[in-house]
Amino acid sequence: MIYIGCDHGGFALKQEILKYIKEDLAEEAEDLGCYDTSSVDYPDYAEKVCKKVVAENAKGILICGTGIGISIAANKIAGIRCALCSEPFSAEMTRRHNNANVLAMGGRTVGSELAKSIVKVFLTTEFEGGRHQKRLDKISALEAAK
């Protein structure tokens, strides 16, 4: 399951990405809001998506105007490794090396076709493990020390 959420700045792109995931990638996705362009607070949607991702060991996608605010909020949730990506190479590397479980994008900064390619790479790239796991363990230790 892929959980997806946005604020008003990411609503239009979220709609396109949700359709792409379900129809073109044939993956299950659940829309956790927002559901129109009325002004909302991105931390609320980051929390909804990230709590589901952690509870179900799933993946998530978050979209706000730039992707910056929603990614910052997401990374405050224990167990989340959210990466803001604006091109496919970063999406690939964050999965391979960081085992990122949430992708953030900017609805006002990334076009829909580019966003689709970022999403595809993020959802299909596997974590390499090995030497990278040691680094993730260190990140987890930092999180636990709060």
Side-chain angles (χ1 to χ4, degrees):
M1 176 65 71
I2 300 145
Y3 294 99
I4 188 167
C6 68
D7 73 354
H8 52 283
F11 178 74
L13 183 59
K14 182 197 72 175
Q15 296 304 102
E16 290 188 50
I17 295 303
L18 193 58
K19 181 179 177 187
Y20 173 71
I21 291 169
K22 290 179 175 181
E23 294 179 7
D24 294 14
L25 300 180
E27 296 279 351
E28 286 188 57
E30 185 175 335
D31 183 356
L32 298 178
C34 70
Y35 302 109
D36 59 38
T37 57
S38 301
S39 183
V40 296
D41 298 326
Y42 57 80
D44 298 335
Y45 297 93
E47 181 180 26
K48 285 181 184 184
V49 168
C50 291
K51 286 192 171 182
K52 287 277 200 176
V53 167
V54 169
E56 299 180 23
N57 193 28
K59 289 182 185 161
I61 298 171
L62 294 169
I63 307 168
C64 70
T66 62
I68 297 168
I70 208 160
S71 66
I72 292 170
N75 281 312
K76 298 298 181 184
I77 307 293
I80 293 299
R81 290 173 309 281
C82 178
L84 172 58
C85 298
S86 57
E87 35 64 38
F89 180 73
S90 293
E92 177 184 356
M93 297 312 289
T94 199
R95 286 289 307 132
R96 290 174 77 188
H97 292 185
N98 310 120
N99 200 18
N101 51 9
V102 177
L103 167 67
M105 295 185 294
R108 297 177 180 145
T109 61
V110 177
S112 64
E113 292 306 310
L114 178 57
K116 289 174 188 176
S117 65
I118 294 167
V119 166
K120 182 176 183 178
V121 168
F122 183 82
L123 294 177
T124 60
T125 301
E126 296 296 326
F127 176 52
E128 288 181 358
R131 66 189 164 105
H132 305 293
Q133 184 59 54
K134 174 181 76 170
R135 296 168 185 155
L136 292 185
D137 294 342
K138 289 183 176 189
I139 291 171
S140 295
L142 290 172
E143 191 174 68
K146 284 184 181 180

